[in-house]
Amino acid sequence: MREENIRALLMRREYPALKVVLNSMNNVDLALLLENFKEKEYTILFRLIQKEKAAEVFTEMSSPMQETLINAFTRSEIKELFDDMYMDDTVDIIEEMPANVVEQILDVTDKETRQTINRLLNYPEDSAGSIMTVEYIDLKKDMTVEQALKKIKRVGIDQETIYTCYVIEQKKLIGIVTAKSLLLNESQMLIKDIMETNLIYVNTHEDKENVSKLFQKYGLLAIPVVDCEHCMVGIVTFDDAMEVWQDEVEEDMSIMAAMQPNEDSYFGTSVISHARHRILWLLVLMLSATITGTIITKYEDAFQTLPLLVSFIPMLMDTGGNCGSQSSTLIIRGIAVDEIRFHDFFKVVFKEFRVAILVGFVLAVVNGLRIVIMYHSLRMALLIGLSLMATIILAKIVGCCLPLLAKKIGLDPAIMAAPLITTLVDTCSILIYFNIATHLFSL
């Protein structure tokens, strides 16, 4: 309804009314709404957003929209926009833009800002330094609470967060003070008497995924970032950590579905790119599956002697694949939230083995009864029961071991997800099935 109202106002060129509607909306909702308009339309609409609000809306937009707007803006408009933007958001945008757009942005920034941007861009892509902001409030330990509050009022508008302030001495981090502490203590109290010295901080080269886990573990709003000499260089805020977490989840989901990770949106990715991201793993899995076919061919004589054997192959392979997928998914999730680590290897294997015994026993009994009722063959029931037990135990152990081993050697555990484990278990289950059948039926 709001979109229709905006379209109607835009068509009638009622810009004052449009200004009121646009500036009353939530920043994220407004950025999403503008994506439904054509380039010419959202360029007009964006210019109607208040200056302070525009920078926040801009950071929530997709990269193609940001590029279009920058190319449409005058030099002064670009300067105004990026002057109101936090440094980490500016760096994030620059990383996504082509060279000609980056040149336009850097051209309107002052020398000090350019130096800061270049320094942030030089940090490794997966490091804490690459996602930190240099805009934070620093205090001196000999300040009073009153002096600290005055400083926050004076400079806080330009800082990304004022809820946590950092006590710095000779560029080194020595403590933190929360806004709550400042508000609840007497105005003449010294900062050194109320600051927290039991600090949680990260190094500039710390993996950004590990940094995001600290937010979840300790419930923080921001984490200070220090260099190798323990000098304070910036902070990572909660919103940036959540973006990292979301990116990691999306990447793991792609890998677990046997696809190459893709940073672009679904509709923003071309058909050719979609196919390219999927086809490699599909080729690998398809060629791997030919091993199963080769094994089945080897037992062709057994099929001719006992044709009924063929009918149980899909059930056996599907059950093994599903059991392996269940275990791998749980272990990958446990690794992602730091619940499971490599030193838990034998503990995890033993637990999954016991689970496999219980699951295998129930499935074997149910299938055994079904086969006795349908085919009146105790020997066939025993074959399927034993094959199921062995396949499920194997699948559960493989499903829990491979992600842990992948993590140990530096690979993404998500690689060892359903498609790969299913292909591996399929091959093993066929070998188990025909080996047991050969001995039971003397084939």
Side-chain angles (χ1 to χ4, degrees):
M1 185 65 71
R2 180 167 278 180
E3 182 181 337
E4 292 174 3
N5 184 33
I6 291 173
R7 287 189 184 279
L9 292 172
L10 185 61
M11 191 175 295
R12 296 196 298 268
R13 299 186 180 183
E14 295 182 18
Y15 298 133
L18 269 174
K19 257 188 175 182
V20 174
V21 174
L22 294 173
N23 288 299
S24 65
M25 289 182 64
N26 175 274
N27 297 333
V28 177
D29 292 338
L30 182 51
L32 291 172
L33 179 72
L34 292 178
E35 289 190 2
N36 298 328
F37 290 84
K38 296 177 182 178
E39 289 184 9
K40 186 177 179 181
E41 292 173 333
Y42 68 66
T43 302
I44 295 171
L45 292 172
F46 188 83
R47 282 192 165 106
L48 297 174
I49 302 172
Q50 291 174 353
K51 179 186 169 187
E52 297 78 10
K53 186 183 183 71
E56 296 182 24
V57 173
F58 189 83
T59 59
E60 300 294 340
M61 290 179 165
S62 63
S63 296
M65 286 183 70
Q66 291 171 341
E67 184 179 347
T68 300
L69 288 172
I70 291 172
N71 286 326
F73 287 164
T74 63
R75 178 186 169 88
S76 60
E77 285 175 322
I78 296 173
K79 179 172 174 55
E80 283 184 4
L81 180 65
F82 282 89
D83 281 349
D84 289 330
M85 204 174 293
Y86 294 121
M87 192 63 69
D88 58 330
D89 292 328
T90 301
V91 171
D92 288 342
I93 291 168
I94 286 174
E95 286 180 323
E96 299 293 328
M97 293 294 118
N100 63 311
V101 177
V102 172
E103 189 176 338
Q104 291 182 64
I105 297 170
L106 295 179
D107 192 44
V108 298
T109 56
D110 57 57
K111 183 180 178 181
E112 185 180 345
T113 303
R114 279 198 300 276
Q115 288 175 343
T116 304
I117 289 172
N118 288 330
R119 189 173 78 251
L120 293 175
L121 287 172
N122 283 330
Y123 286 113
E125 184 182 354
D126 293 329
S127 69
S130 69
I131 60 170
M132 73 180 182
T133 179
V134 295
E135 293 151 327
Y136 60 90
I137 295 178
D138 62 293
L139 304 173
K140 302 296 183 186
K141 66 177 183 178
D142 294 324
M143 277 183 170
T144 63
V145 168
E146 183 179 9
Q147 289 171 331
L149 288 172
K150 283 182 179 178
K151 180 171 183 178
I152 292 172
K153 289 179 181 178
R154 187 174 71 254
V155 303
I157 190 66
D158 297 319
Q159 311 307 317
E160 187 146 344
T161 179
I162 62 170
Y163 301 112
T164 306
C165 303
Y166 301 90
V167 186
I168 309 295
E169 186 175 42
Q170 295 180 344
K171 296 185 179 180
K172 297 185 185 297
L173 176 66
I174 61 171
I176 62 169
V177 180
T178 63
K180 180 179 179 180
S181 296
L182 292 172
L183 291 171
L184 295 180
N185 278 287
E186 296 296 328
S187 59
Q188 296 309 310
M189 285 280 289
L190 295 177
I191 295 299
K192 65 182 179 182
D193 295 328
I194 63 170
M195 70 180 185
E196 175 64 56
T197 55
N198 185 19
L199 305 175
I200 298 168
Y201 58 87
V202 295
N203 187 270
T204 51
H205 286 75
E206 181 74 38
D207 189 286
K208 64 183 182 182
E209 187 178 357
N210 294 336
V211 176
S212 70
K213 289 176 182 177
L214 291 177
F215 280 86
Q216 183 185 35
K217 183 177 181 179
Y218 295 107
L220 303 171
L221 293 175
I223 292 181
V225 182
V226 301
D227 62 16
C228 57
E229 296 178 347
H230 202 71
C231 293
M232 179 87 171
V233 291
I235 61 172
V236 176
T237 53
F238 181 81
D239 58 328
D240 293 317
M242 289 306 98
E243 282 184 21
V244 171
W245 187 266
Q246 182 181 350
D247 291 342
E248 291 295 333
V249 169
E250 290 175 354
E251 181 181 327
D252 286 348
M253 286 178 66
S254 296
I255 294 173
M256 289 173 71
M259 294 187 294
Q260 293 180 16
N262 181 24
E263 294 182 358
D264 295 328
S265 65
Y266 177 82
F267 290 110
T269 305
S270 68
V271 173
I272 294 175
S273 294
H274 272 303
R276 183 161 45 82
H277 289 142
R278 302 179 195 187
I279 200 166
L280 178 61
W281 267 110
L282 291 174
L283 281 170
V284 171
L285 296 172
M286 181 187 72
L287 294 173
S288 301
T290 58
I291 300 172
T292 306
T294 303
I295 294 171
I296 293 174
T297 304
K298 182 182 175 183
Y299 290 95
E300 192 173 344
D301 293 339
F303 295 151
Q304 293 175 357
T305 307
L306 192 60
L308 188 60
L309 287 173
V310 182
S311 64
F312 295 105
I313 291 176
M315 179 272 294
L316 197 63
M317 292 170 65
D318 288 348
T319 303
N322 290 335
C323 288
S325 299
Q326 285 179 340
S327 295
S328 65
T329 301
L330 286 172
I331 301 306
I332 290 168
R333 181 258 176 199
I335 293 172
V337 299
D338 265 350
E339 180 187 357
I340 299 172
R341 299 189 180 183
F342 188 76
H343 61 70
D344 299 315
F345 185 88
F346 292 107
K347 186 178 177 182
V348 170
V349 170
F350 183 53
K351 186 160 192 171
E352 286 299 310
F353 175 75
R354 287 178 290 163
V355 172
I357 293 291
L358 290 173
V359 172
F361 178 76
V362 172
L363 295 184
V365 169
V366 171
N367 258 296
L369 291 172
R370 179 179 71 87
I371 291 164
V372 168
I373 294 169
M374 292 178 66
Y375 303 105
H376 311 289
S377 174
L378 283 172
R379 196 182 297 183
M380 184 61 75
L382 181 61
L383 166 61
I384 300 304
L386 290 174
S387 298
L388 270 174
M389 284 288 293
T391 297
I392 290 169
I393 291 171
L394 174 72
K396 292 286 186 188
I397 291 176
V398 168
C400 71
C401 289
L402 289 185
L404 285 166
L405 291 171
K407 181 70 174 177
K408 181 64 176 177
I409 63 176
L411 296 176
D412 192 328
I415 293 172
M416 304 301 177
L420 185 59
I421 288 175
T422 299
T423 303
L424 181 60
V425 170
D426 283 352
T427 303
C428 295
S429 64
I430 291 299
L431 280 171
I432 291 168
Y433 179 50
F434 283 116
N435 273 289
I436 296 175
T438 301
H439 288 89
L440 274 180
F441 290 93
S442 300
L443 298 173

